[in-house]
Amino acid sequence: MNFTAKQIAELVQGTIEGNPDAIVNDVSKIEEGKPQTLTFLANPKYTKYIYTTKASVVIVNDSFKAEQPLTTTLIKVPDAYLALAALLDMYEQSLPKKTGIEQPAFIDKTATIGDFVYIGAFSYIGEKAKIGKNVQIYPQAYIGDNVEIKDNSIIYPGVKIYKHCKIGENCIIHAGAIIGGDGFGFAPDANKNYKKIPQVGNVIIEDHVEIGANTTIDRATMGSTIVRKGAKLDNLIQVAHNVEVGEKTVIAAQTGIAGSTKIGKECMFGGQVGVSGHIHVADKTRVAAQTGIAGTIKKEATALMGSPAMNVMQFNKSFVIFRRLPELSAQIDELKREIQNLKSE
Amino acid sequence: MNFTAKQIAELVQGTIEGNPDAIVNDVSKIEEGKPQTLTFLANPKYTKYIYTTKASVVIVNDSFKAEQPLTTTLIKVPDAYLALAALLDMYEQSLPKKTGIEQPAFIDKTATIGDFVYIGAFSYIGEKAKIGKNVQIYPQAYIGDNVEIKDNSIIYPGVKIYKHCKIGENCIIHAGAIIGGDGFGFAPDANKNYKKIPQVGNVIIEDHVEIGANTTIDRATMGSTIVRKGAKLDNLIQVAHNVEVGEKTVIAAQTGIAGSTKIGKECMFGGQVGVSGHIHVADKTRVAAQTGIAGTIKKEATALMGSPAMNVMQFNKSFVIFRRLPELSAQIDELKREIQNLKSE
Amino acid sequence: MNFTAKQIAELVQGTIEGNPDAIVNDVSKIEEGKPQTLTFLANPKYTKYIYTTKASVVIVNDSFKAEQPLTTTLIKVPDAYLALAALLDMYEQSLPKKTGIEQPAFIDKTATIGDFVYIGAFSYIGEKAKIGKNVQIYPQAYIGDNVEIKDNSIIYPGVKIYKHCKIGENCIIHAGAIIGGDGFGFAPDANKNYKKIPQVGNVIIEDHVEIGANTTIDRATMGSTIVRKGAKLDNLIQVAHNVEVGEKTVIAAQTGIAGSTKIGKECMFGGQVGVSGHIHVADKTRVAAQTGIAGTIKKEATALMGSPAMNVMQFNKSFVIFRRLPELSAQIDELKREIQNLKSE
């Protein structure tokens, strides 16, 4: 399907610089741009490619000013990344959507199934489960007893949701994610045998949450492990029992959050971060990849790095010296010698 | 179902302080305690909540002494966490248990299935597999050829167990765990092409082991990868080929253990720990989260921290100075100046 | 089945030292060697066991020279590990292979299925998917719409491959791996709500690639996430959208690579490594476990360690001093005192 630059500019309410009749029929990355494709420029790291890209049309921020001649047509918008999101979204919405129940599927007769759902083959819907309208459950998913999934959510293949957990509206849960496995709780007896603490709570995922592939979110010992509205979790993340992840908090892959910790809202976590149990992390905290947060962070909007975590500026200052430690050590030795000399004068 | 404080005290052999007729019909967390619920206090971090909790009954350690007036009823026991475990266990035991074989399931005609099993829909039981008594295999699990699962073990949805692996009695394996995938073994040839070393060993999980969601335990190249009796592994852990995890060792989420390493018994590992291959870790070793163990630990009951790992006390002493490195560097510069001055006097 | 040392020597073109008629009927690890088994010695850490092993035959490198008397028979070859690989490969090839389509399986009528395939029960093959010759798809795998899997590849139980992804020839994908989940891309709007960037690209896995259990490889936003020919990825690895992993690069478990990063060829990564997004890592880079690579690595064959990463030699030199920091700090205090004394003289 062909679109002109002019048509796209109308869709994203942008202004054109260049040829309004330039035609595109696919998307591409700016550094691999091909003729008759649309691309975008949002990350300044890629600015250099705009002068050489073969893409016919590039969506850019209003603030972009070309420093060399351009052969491509620009569409200027306030936020190129958001405009791209909107365009790709229109594209996705235009694709045919699976509906209906593929056979064989296992749907307990006490389950409630909303209108316009898709339930893929080999999926399992347990007793008294409630599946909302327009929900898409891909093949081989497991929806345990009494689980509730609200309208418009997407459950990708092989997701497992243990009993009693609740998934909000417009959520996306990627393949292999495990929601509601037992929290890791054991009480050592006198012989150091670990006795399991049954985990009788659940997991609550609020609306507009996205959970990445193979991420695990454990059920609470009592009460609920909660992921608040609009939070986004990447792949292979561990969320332990009784944790709470705040609204609109974004967590990159392979991060782990230990039991009963509360993460504030609008935080941003890099990948492979670790957070100790039973602590609080203030709203808007920003955490560099591989950081280890060992204690409560009280001050909002702190930026952390290192393991154990420090303020990112402090960490960088210390780390600069860490790189120079052999030199420092040599300087100390030299000072010792000089002082010996002075003393023996 | 209602219970009085007196009835609960009898179940856990505790003594009551307060109203023996206080009624509970659910459990709650102490910081979110609701009327007519039972809660517990074991972690001193939560002591403050006992004075304000609305929970009607709180199980506490005998050692607890109230420092303010209490409105709740106490049940005192030697170990509140163990008593809670016992109570929740009674509760879980009282719930109806799934039994029988849901259809469709794939059970090879050469497989042996014990009495009172539950085999969920879309589960696969391979050739000559042996499933013990009371075993619960949830939907979409894969039990490969010649796999053996002993009595009373629970296999949650979507667990995959490759051929020839052995699971002991009273084990729990959570959703998405992969037992017996190939170890990561390749031999580079003259052209740096990696030739796969077929992994012809298996995995042995002994009795009373719990394995977390999406954890992966690779089969041995030859012989067995072994998880010993009573060990507890959290979610998203990697156990490489030919590793041995000792009895009653507890390992938190996202830890990785490289090939052929032997972990002793009664060790405690925090989350995101890494352990190099071909080393030994002594019994009772305690390892802080994110630690990297690069060499054999010979001394029992060592506490480790850092990457590469150091004794935890040493690490903390060094890290205190790390935080102050810019100051140290400035001090050295100052000393240099002072010596210059002394020399030029 | 019995083999003599002589027969094995012929298979691997080795020379015998000892009894050519020694019989073996199984394999074992050298440290647990049993009579009538074959073992090997490649890692020098295990050399001591060759003098005590009960294994009847040991494959060793030509360079091995016994320093004590041996009771076992040796087969000498240029590369013991490669010879073992070849032998185990012959053994594996001799085992019966599953073929045919187990019921129930879901195969869309528009899918193309090659000759001699195995498709396990409860597997799902989507619209227009193309499955090559000799492909083995184990039970409960999900092959999305338009996915292509080329000849001789093995897809283990429960693997999920999202739509449009492409898998090359002779690949092995282990249980629970997720290929083609959405990349983690969101654009914050003015209210800090994250708007999802639809991920319309795919994943391309080239020939001879092995992917470990529960590893996740995200689809590209646009274009392709690519794992090049001969690369080997261990378990629980995260490969983000638009990443490229170079030819014959080997990556150990739990490593994470952030979006749009390009890893060169013939690199070797330890476990739990983290790599930032939008950077390049040069060919033949070697990376110690738990390293954090924050910026582009331009020089080939660099060895890295630490977080943030440093040259491994530099890291070790700095870390030696880190361990001694309390001592250094004390020395500085002592120097201060001495200078005070000198000044007051």
Side-chain angles (χ1 to χ4, degrees):
Chain A
M1 205 154 61
N2 288 339
F3 293 90
T4 62
K6 187 155 173 280
Q7 286 171 317
I8 292 164
E10 277 164 14
L11 288 171
V12 297
Q13 301 178 316
T15 56
I16 295 177
E17 289 186 11
N19 175 13
D21 300 322
I23 280 172
V24 299
N25 53 36
D26 200 355
V27 292
S28 64
K29 290 188 280 187
I30 192 164
E31 69 272 32
E32 303 173 350
K34 291 174 204 120
Q36 304 210 356
T37 64
L38 170 75
T39 189
F40 76 107
L41 173 62
N43 184 334
K45 273 200 180 185
Y46 292 83
T47 301
K48 60 182 175 190
Y49 296 111
I50 201 168
Y51 304 108
T52 55
T53 189
K54 297 210 164 57
S56 305
V57 180
V58 187
I59 302 180
V60 296
N61 292 331
D62 280 335
S63 59
F64 172 76
K65 289 203 193 328
E67 294 176 348
Q68 298 174 31
L70 291 166
T71 58
T72 184
T73 294
L74 302 185
I75 297 178
K76 288 190 155 184
V77 292
D79 184 326
Y81 205 42
L82 264 181
L84 176 81
L87 272 183
L88 293 178
D89 207 40
M90 288 178 223
Y91 168 73
E92 288 249 300
Q93 297 299 334
S94 75
L95 299 178
K97 226 168 147 180
K98 304 224 175 202
T99 51
I101 299 176
E102 289 173 350
Q103 291 303 334
F106 183 104
I107 302 178
D108 192 273
K109 60 184 189 297
T110 59
T112 315
I113 310 292
D115 293 335
F116 314 113
V117 299
Y118 166 56
I119 296 181
F122 315 124
S123 274
Y124 185 101
I125 316 281
E127 295 170 26
K128 297 180 187 163
K130 282 186 194 163
I131 311 297
K133 268 190 307 185
N134 300 314
V135 168
Q136 293 183 275
I137 296 177
Y138 278 76
Q140 302 143 342
Y142 173 83
I143 313 297
D145 297 347
N146 293 296
V147 166
E148 189 175 342
I149 301 176
K150 292 200 175 147
D151 298 353
N152 309 315
S153 285
I154 302 175
I155 309 295
Y156 276 106
V159 167
K160 312 300 178 200
I161 307 178
Y162 283 54
K163 64 183 178 183
H164 303 305
C165 294
K166 292 182 190 316
I167 314 293
E169 291 183 6
N170 298 295
C171 290
I172 297 175
I173 305 186
H174 279 285
I178 311 294
I179 311 297
D182 284 350
F184 194 63
F186 301 92
D189 68 12
N191 303 317
K192 293 245 179 170
N193 287 309
Y194 286 94
K195 194 159 172 47
K196 180 175 177 68
I197 313 286
Q199 305 288 307
V200 304
N202 72 347
V203 175
I204 296 175
I205 309 281
E206 296 187 350
D207 302 341
H208 293 282
V209 169
E210 185 157 341
I211 306 284
N214 283 345
T215 280
T216 60
I217 304 181
D218 281 351
R219 68 196 307 105
T221 311
M222 297 179 295
S224 299
T225 304
I226 304 176
V227 181
R228 296 271 179 219
K229 209 170 159 174
K232 309 293 179 189
L233 274 62
D234 199 353
N235 299 345
L236 291 167
I237 288 171
Q238 154 72 354
V239 178
H241 49 177
N242 293 101
V243 163
E244 186 178 322
V245 175
E247 276 186 31
K248 303 183 197 174
T249 278
V250 176
I251 301 180
Q254 295 176 319
T255 287
I257 304 169
S260 299
T261 280
K262 287 197 188 340
I263 308 289
K265 65 183 180 186
E266 294 175 25
C267 295
M268 299 187 72
F269 280 61
Q272 298 181 335
V273 169
V275 188
S276 289
H278 299 281
I279 65 172
H280 288 225
V281 175
D283 295 348
K284 301 185 187 178
T285 302
R286 283 163 297 139
V287 189
Q290 296 191 327
T291 294
I293 305 181
T296 284
I297 306 298
K298 287 185 178 159
K299 205 183 148 204
E300 279 193 16
T302 311
L304 300 171
M305 188 168 182
S307 175
M310 298 164 61
N311 177 292
V312 71
M313 299 273 284
Q314 274 185 296
F315 176 85
N316 282 329
K317 282 181 190 164
S318 281
F319 196 76
V320 163
I321 317 287
F322 175 81
R323 288 177 185 273
R324 287 178 45 223
L325 276 182
E327 188 191 319
L328 249 70
S329 176
Q331 286 174 0
I332 291 171
D333 291 344
E334 173 63 16
L335 290 172
K336 280 194 239 174
R337 267 190 301 275
E338 298 213 37
I339 287 173
Q340 272 326 102
N341 290 344
L342 285 168
K343 279 160 78 177
S344 57
E345 265 171 19
Chain B
M1 205 156 57
N2 287 339
F3 293 89
T4 62
K6 188 153 173 281
Q7 287 171 318
I8 291 164
E10 277 165 13
L11 288 171
V12 298
Q13 300 179 314
T15 56
I16 295 176
E17 288 186 12
N19 175 13
D21 300 322
I23 279 172
V24 299
N25 53 35
D26 201 354
V27 291
S28 63
K29 291 188 278 186
I30 192 164
E31 69 272 32
E32 303 174 350
K34 292 171 205 126
Q36 302 210 358
T37 65
L38 170 75
T39 191
F40 76 108
L41 173 62
N43 183 335
K45 275 200 178 183
Y46 293 82
T47 302
K48 61 184 176 190
Y49 295 111
I50 202 168
Y51 304 108
T52 55
T53 188
K54 294 207 166 58
S56 304
V57 179
V58 187
I59 302 180
V60 296
N61 292 331
D62 280 335
S63 59
F64 173 76
K65 288 201 193 331
E67 293 177 349
Q68 299 175 32
L70 291 165
T71 59
T72 183
T73 295
L74 302 185
I75 297 179
K76 289 190 156 185
V77 292
D79 184 326
Y81 204 42
L82 263 181
L84 175 81
L87 271 182
L88 292 179
D89 207 40
M90 287 178 225
Y91 167 74
E92 288 250 300
Q93 297 299 332
S94 74
L95 299 177
K97 225 169 147 178
K98 304 226 173 199
T99 51
I101 298 176
E102 289 173 353
Q103 290 304 333
F106 182 103
I107 302 178
D108 192 274
K109 60 184 189 295
T110 59
T112 315
I113 309 292
D115 294 335
F116 315 114
V117 299
Y118 166 56
I119 296 181
F122 315 122
S123 274
Y124 185 100
I125 316 281
E127 295 172 25
K128 296 181 187 163
K130 282 185 192 162
I131 310 297
K133 269 190 308 185
N134 301 314
V135 168
Q136 293 183 276
I137 296 177
Y138 278 76
Q140 301 144 341
Y142 173 83
I143 314 296
D145 297 346
N146 293 295
V147 166
E148 190 176 340
I149 301 176
K150 291 200 174 147
D151 299 352
N152 309 315
S153 285
I154 302 174
I155 309 297
Y156 277 106
V159 168
K160 311 299 178 201
I161 307 178
Y162 282 54
K163 65 183 178 182
H164 303 305
C165 294
K166 291 181 189 319
I167 313 294
E169 292 182 8
N170 298 294
C171 289
I172 298 173
I173 305 188
H174 280 285
I178 312 293
I179 311 296
D182 283 349
F184 194 62
F186 300 92
D189 68 12
N191 303 317
K192 293 248 180 168
N193 287 308
Y194 285 95
K195 193 161 172 44
K196 181 176 176 68
I197 313 285
Q199 307 286 308
V200 303
N202 72 347
V203 174
I204 297 175
I205 308 282
E206 296 188 349
D207 302 341
H208 293 281
V209 168
E210 185 157 342
I211 306 284
N214 282 346
T215 281
T216 60
I217 304 182
D218 281 351
R219 68 196 308 105
T221 311
M222 296 180 295
S224 299
T225 304
I226 304 175
V227 181
R228 297 270 179 221
K229 212 170 157 174
K232 309 293 180 190
L233 273 64
D234 200 352
N235 299 346
L236 292 167
I237 287 171
Q238 153 73 353
V239 178
H241 50 176
N242 292 100
V243 162
E244 186 178 323
V245 175
E247 278 186 28
K248 303 179 196 176
T249 279
V250 176
I251 301 180
Q254 295 175 319
T255 287
I257 304 169
S260 299
T261 279
K262 286 194 186 347
I263 308 289
K265 63 184 182 186
E266 295 174 23
C267 295
M268 300 186 72
F269 280 61
Q272 298 181 333
V273 169
V275 188
S276 290
H278 300 282
I279 66 171
H280 288 226
V281 175
D283 296 347
K284 301 183 186 179
T285 302
R286 283 162 297 138
V287 189
Q290 296 190 326
T291 294
I293 305 180
T296 285
I297 306 298
K298 287 185 178 159
K299 207 182 147 205
E300 281 193 15
T302 311
L304 299 172
M305 189 168 182
S307 176
M310 298 165 61
N311 177 293
V312 70
M313 299 272 284
Q314 274 185 295
F315 176 84
N316 282 329
K317 281 180 190 164
S318 281
F319 196 77
V320 164
I321 316 287
F322 175 82
R323 287 177 186 274
R324 287 177 45 222
L325 276 182
E327 188 190 322
L328 248 69
S329 176
Q331 285 175 1
I332 291 171
D333 291 344
E334 172 64 17
L335 288 171
K336 280 195 240 173
R337 269 190 299 276
E338 298 214 34
I339 287 173
Q340 273 325 101
N341 292 343
L342 284 168
K343 277 160 79 176
S344 58
E345 262 171 22
Chain C
M1 205 155 57
N2 288 338
F3 293 89
T4 62
K6 189 154 170 279
Q7 287 171 317
I8 292 164
E10 278 164 12
L11 288 171
V12 297
Q13 300 180 314
T15 56
I16 296 177
E17 287 186 13
N19 176 12
D21 299 323
I23 280 172
V24 300
N25 53 35
D26 201 355
V27 291
S28 65
K29 290 188 279 187
I30 193 163
E31 70 273 31
E32 302 174 350
K34 290 172 206 127
Q36 304 209 355
T37 64
L38 171 75
T39 190
F40 76 107
L41 172 62
N43 183 332
K45 274 200 178 182
Y46 293 81
T47 302
K48 62 184 176 189
Y49 295 111
I50 201 169
Y51 305 108
T52 54
T53 188
K54 293 207 167 59
S56 305
V57 179
V58 187
I59 301 181
V60 296
N61 292 332
D62 281 334
S63 59
F64 173 74
K65 289 201 193 330
E67 292 176 348
Q68 299 175 31
L70 291 165
T71 58
T72 184
T73 293
L74 302 185
I75 296 179
K76 289 189 155 183
V77 292
D79 184 326
Y81 204 42
L82 264 181
L84 176 82
L87 272 182
L88 292 178
D89 206 40
M90 287 177 224
Y91 167 74
E92 288 249 301
Q93 297 299 333
S94 75
L95 299 177
K97 227 169 145 179
K98 304 224 174 203
T99 51
I101 298 176
E102 289 173 351
Q103 291 303 333
F106 183 103
I107 302 178
D108 191 274
K109 61 184 188 296
T110 58
T112 314
I113 310 291
D115 294 336
F116 315 114
V117 300
Y118 166 56
I119 297 181
F122 314 123
S123 274
Y124 185 100
I125 317 281
E127 294 171 27
K128 296 183 188 163
K130 282 186 194 163
I131 311 297
K133 268 190 307 184
N134 300 313
V135 167
Q136 293 184 275
I137 296 177
Y138 278 75
Q140 300 142 344
Y142 173 83
I143 314 297
D145 297 346
N146 292 296
V147 167
E148 189 176 340
I149 302 177
K150 291 201 176 148
D151 299 352
N152 309 313
S153 285
I154 303 175
I155 308 297
Y156 276 106
V159 168
K160 311 300 178 200
I161 306 178
Y162 283 53
K163 64 181 178 183
H164 303 305
C165 294
K166 292 182 189 315
I167 314 293
E169 292 183 6
N170 298 294
C171 289
I172 298 174
I173 304 187
H174 279 286
I178 311 295
I179 311 297
D182 283 350
F184 194 63
F186 301 91
D189 68 12
N191 303 317
K192 293 247 179 170
N193 287 309
Y194 286 95
K195 189 155 176 50
K196 180 177 176 68
I197 314 284
Q199 306 287 306
V200 304
N202 72 346
V203 175
I204 296 175
I205 309 281
E206 297 188 348
D207 302 340
H208 293 281
V209 168
E210 185 158 342
I211 306 285
N214 283 345
T215 281
T216 59
I217 304 182
D218 281 352
R219 70 194 309 104
T221 310
M222 296 179 295
S224 300
T225 304
I226 303 176
V227 181
R228 297 270 178 219
K229 211 170 157 175
K232 309 293 178 188
L233 274 62
D234 200 353
N235 300 345
L236 291 167
I237 288 170
Q238 155 72 353
V239 178
H241 50 175
N242 292 101
V243 164
E244 185 178 323
V245 175
E247 279 187 28
K248 302 181 198 176
T249 278
V250 176
I251 301 180
Q254 295 175 320
T255 287
I257 303 169
S260 299
T261 280
K262 287 196 187 342
I263 308 289
K265 64 183 181 187
E266 294 174 26
C267 296
M268 300 186 70
F269 280 61
Q272 298 179 334
V273 169
V275 188
S276 290
H278 299 282
I279 65 172
H280 288 226
V281 175
D283 296 347
K284 300 184 188 180
T285 302
R286 283 162 298 139
V287 189
Q290 296 189 327
T291 294
I293 305 181
T296 284
I297 306 298
K298 288 187 177 157
K299 206 183 147 204
E300 281 194 14
T302 311
L304 300 172
M305 189 168 182
S307 176
M310 299 166 60
N311 177 292
V312 72
M313 298 272 285
Q314 275 185 296
F315 176 84
N316 282 328
K317 281 180 191 165
S318 281
F319 196 76
V320 164
I321 316 287
F322 175 81
R323 288 177 185 274
R324 287 175 46 221
L325 277 182
E327 190 191 320
L328 248 70
S329 176
Q331 286 175 2
I332 291 170
D333 291 345
E334 173 62 18
L335 289 172
K336 282 195 238 171
R337 270 190 299 276
E338 298 213 38
I339 287 172
Q340 274 325 101
N341 290 345
L342 284 168
K343 278 159 80 175
S344 57
E345 264 171 22

